[in-house]
Amino acid sequence: MTDTKTWARVKSPWVLHFNSGACNGCDIEVVALLTPKYDVERFGIKLEPSPRHADVLLVTGCVTTQCAERLKRVYDQMPQPKFVVAIGACACSGGIFEGNYSVVGGADKVIPVSAYIPGCPPRPEAMIDGVVKLLNAINPPKQKKQKENSKEEVKPEAGQTPAPSS
């Protein structure tokens, strides 16, 4: 049953976007992901408005003291297993706002982060790559089995004697 749940989560992750105080640069790129140009639905990714149904939390912006408790509450409402992706320099480390009196720092100061996608703002292609790598880390692709009789026999060329086998 666990394999079925993992398969379902990997094949159709529902994401929740949380803006924790961003300049909206990353938010515009996240919205661009939902357009037909990038078509994230081919990976089964769907934007979900409720944390109770989301599998992946996309965090943009540096975490301020005002929203730190809200971010933690949203994270706690998500069902297990849950994953967090920090999008942009601000969500990864606090960005240019690090050290400000009202900034806690990156998302990892409040909740555990599974993947980091740096950039200011990161391109939609980078976000797709980051989420797909996260999904592959959850359920790595299975390796094809190699045939046991794959040993190639070395045939001697004309005029040579074969090497004795032991």
Side-chain angles (χ1 to χ4, degrees):
M1 186 68 174
T2 305
D3 292 338
T4 306
K5 286 181 182 179
T6 303
W7 176 84
R9 288 187 188 276
V10 169
K11 294 299 180 186
S12 63
W14 289 7
V15 299
L16 171 67
H17 176 230
F18 184 85
N19 180 348
S20 60
C23 67
N24 291 335
C26 295
D27 299 330
I28 291 169
E29 299 297 329
V30 169
V31 171
L33 285 175
L34 304 174
T35 64
K37 180 177 181 180
Y38 297 103
D39 189 29
V40 292
E41 289 186 9
R42 67 180 174 215
F43 301 113
I45 298 171
K46 178 187 173 220
L47 185 64
E48 175 62 35
S50 171
R52 299 189 192 287
H53 300 133
D55 302 312
V56 180
L57 179 63
L58 304 177
V59 180
T60 57
C62 56
V63 179
T64 62
T65 53
Q66 188 176 17
C67 78
E69 183 182 333
R70 290 184 188 109
L71 177 60
K72 179 73 172 138
R73 190 177 324 133
V74 166
Y75 177 78
D76 290 340
Q77 289 175 356
M78 293 174 62
Q80 290 288 345
K82 50 191 163 188
F83 307 98
V84 178
V85 179
I87 297 176
C90 294
C92 291
S93 66
I96 61 171
F97 305 106
E98 186 178 15
N100 192 329
Y101 69 93
S102 64
V103 173
V104 175
D108 57 356
K109 302 285 188 207
V110 179
I111 55 176
V113 175
S114 306
Y116 296 90
I117 303 173
C120 187
R123 299 283 306 144
E125 295 91 349
M127 291 184 221
I128 292 171
D129 186 51
V131 172
V132 169
K133 284 181 180 177
L134 172 67
L135 296 176
N136 285 338
I138 297 166
N139 188 21
K142 295 181 180 171
Q143 301 293 328
K144 293 181 180 177
K145 293 182 180 178
Q146 294 180 353
K147 294 181 181 178
E148 291 180 18
N149 298 330
S150 64
K151 294 181 182 178
E152 295 181 14
E153 294 183 22
V154 179
K155 295 182 180 179
E157 294 181 20
Q160 292 181 351
T161 58
S165 59
S166 51

